[in-house]
Amino acid sequence: MPRAPFQLGEHTIMPGQRLQIDVPVARLYTHTPLHIPVEVVHGRKDGPVLLVCGGIHGDEINGVEIVRRVLRAKAINGIRGTLIAVPVVNVFGFLQQTRYLPDRRDLNRCFPGSESGSLGGRIAALFREQIVDHATHIIDLHTGAIHRTNLPQIRAQLRPGSETERMADAFGAPVVLNAELREGSLRHYAQSRGIPVLTYEAGEALRFDEWAIAPGARGVLRVMRRLGMLAGEQRRRTPAPAELANGSSWARAPIDGILRPKVRLGARVAKGEVLGKVADPFGNEEGEVRAVADGIVIGMSRLPLANEGEALFHIARFDEIEEAETAIESFNSSLVPPTDSFSF
């Protein structure tokens, strides 16, 4: 029996068809309409419906390029199931190069949204009704916030033997955080409906970080293969198994001043180790930023200017820290071309 067409709003996508759709979302003050750009790849054979989306935070642009590369991959021409690709969800923030919506709300705290609510609530409701509710699986692409960078990592709520765990294992990021759900996030809403979700965090806002983009695109394709959506084997070597972090914490600035970091992203650190020093411009007062636990630096500030108490180094804790260090070293060596982007 032929596969049924895929319906997205007023658009019908036939089996074997690719279609780019502009989903109306709102208008600017000038009455200029804004749309969420969507591309649907509807395979000829049955399979999962995977949503891959970027730019829920408008300044997180690595995900935009990841989506583009996935759509250009030859492998998806023979897809089973359906791929819904959304490079930019928060079109308002993307245009203004900001994380937030014009009303300063975080779109990723507005789900499930409301058709009669704030701008954020209305956009969340529209995105949920027209796109998210069609999906059986989701990969949500993020970066660090402005002036912060993240080691490539998966954040998910993992249960042994779950579909989410299977997706996380396939992705190939060096670190997986078993992260609790945040109310109002896309991940919180989707998992409340039984939809497995991975959040991929890598790189810095308003930057194209190749060391984050290339593994992200490969990770999406690996997950598609694991879900049976793509035929054939992964041509690149299989990455080292990701290590599951059992928690994380931030090391914070002890005083106001200018940060001089002493460690790089991905470094293994020991509790009490000096990660950096913060000093006033004259060097009269200086404070040491020390690791709060043994672990791996998975996120850090890129901005040297720091206020007392500001989060500067994000440290993930592992039961098997040697294995985590090995996984990160293996990940670094797999980057093509070699990169020193993890160091200052």
Side-chain angles (χ1 to χ4, degrees):
M1 177 181 292
R3 191 181 185 206
F6 186 81
Q7 197 73 30
L8 191 69
E10 299 177 352
H11 301 273
T12 300
I13 303 94
M14 302 303 294
Q17 183 183 11
R18 296 175 66 147
L19 184 65
Q20 292 183 358
I21 300 167
D22 290 328
V23 177
V25 63
R27 292 181 181 271
L28 298 175
Y29 302 126
T30 59
H31 202 64
T32 303
L34 284 183
H35 302 84
I36 296 176
V38 181
E39 183 164 340
V40 178
V41 185
H42 191 46
R44 297 182 184 278
K45 297 181 180 181
D46 289 333
V49 178
L50 174 65
L51 167 62
V52 180
C53 60
I56 283 184
H57 295 131
D59 60 355
E60 298 183 357
I61 65 174
N62 278 337
V64 181
E65 176 64 7
I66 290 172
V67 171
R68 187 193 71 82
R69 293 191 191 186
V70 169
L71 287 171
R72 300 281 73 82
K74 294 180 181 179
I76 70 168
N77 293 333
I79 191 174
R80 299 182 182 91
T82 304
L83 172 65
I84 307 174
V86 185
V88 184
V89 179
N90 180 359
V91 288
F92 279 101
F94 189 72
L95 288 171
Q96 296 298 320
Q97 302 174 25
T98 179
R99 177 183 183 91
Y100 301 106
L101 292 162
D103 59 4
R104 296 298 297 168
R105 282 183 166 84
D106 183 335
L107 181 56
N108 208 31
R109 298 295 180 270
C110 293
F111 288 92
S114 168
E115 294 178 357
S116 59
S118 66
L119 176 63
R122 291 168 188 255
I123 294 175
L126 180 144
F127 185 62
R128 167 179 56 82
E129 293 169 359
Q130 297 218 19
I131 298 172
V132 175
D133 287 348
H134 290 282
T136 61
H137 302 73
I138 298 175
I139 301 176
D140 186 20
L141 305 168
H142 288 262
T143 75
I146 190 74
H147 302 312
R148 285 185 182 172
T149 187
N150 282 334
L151 183 79
Q153 60 197 258
I154 288 294
R155 298 182 184 179
Q157 189 176 51
L158 302 175
R159 298 289 182 269
S162 67
E163 186 78 337
T164 305
E165 184 182 60
R166 199 163 73 98
M167 292 169 64
D169 178 67
F171 195 97
V175 171
V176 176
L177 281 176
N178 191 3
E180 292 301 316
L181 299 174
R182 292 191 175 183
E183 188 171 354
S185 67
L186 171 62
R187 191 161 64 94
H188 183 273
Y189 168 73
Q191 292 204 191
S192 73
R193 291 178 52 85
I195 303 172
V197 185
L198 297 185
T199 297
Y200 176 62
E201 290 269 2
E204 183 180 355
L206 295 178
R207 297 288 184 271
F208 267 3
D209 299 303
E210 180 61 25
W211 54 264
I213 293 168
R218 291 197 297 266
V220 172
L221 295 174
R222 286 193 190 100
V223 171
M224 294 178 73
R225 286 191 174 87
R226 181 66 61 89
L227 296 177
M229 298 179 71
L230 301 180
E233 298 295 327
Q234 174 71 26
R235 292 183 180 179
R236 293 182 179 271
R237 66 179 184 178
T238 302
E243 287 301 315
L244 179 63
N246 58 30
S248 67
S249 52
W250 282 90
R252 298 179 179 273
I255 61 172
D256 304 306
I258 300 170
L259 170 68
R260 305 192 313 278
K262 301 295 184 182
V263 297
R264 60 180 176 82
L265 197 64
R268 176 180 176 178
V269 298
K271 184 177 181 179
E273 180 178 341
V274 176
L275 308 178
K277 295 183 178 182
V278 179
D280 66 58
F282 298 103
N284 295 325
E285 185 180 6
E286 184 172 84
E288 295 177 335
V289 186
R290 293 185 175 273
V292 293
D294 296 341
I296 301 289
V297 178
I298 63 168
M300 61 189 297
S301 174
R302 285 288 207 186
L303 184 67
L305 311 180
N307 292 116
E308 184 176 355
E310 187 170 343
L312 299 179
F313 299 91
H314 193 194
I315 301 172
R317 302 185 298 274
F318 299 87
D319 290 330
E320 301 294 340
I321 193 168
E322 288 80 8
E323 283 76 359
E325 188 177 29
T326 299
I328 291 168
E329 290 174 352
S330 175
F331 172 82
N332 287 342
S333 66
S334 72
L335 295 174
V336 180
T339 177
D340 62 356
S341 299
F342 286 0
S343 50
F344 281 80

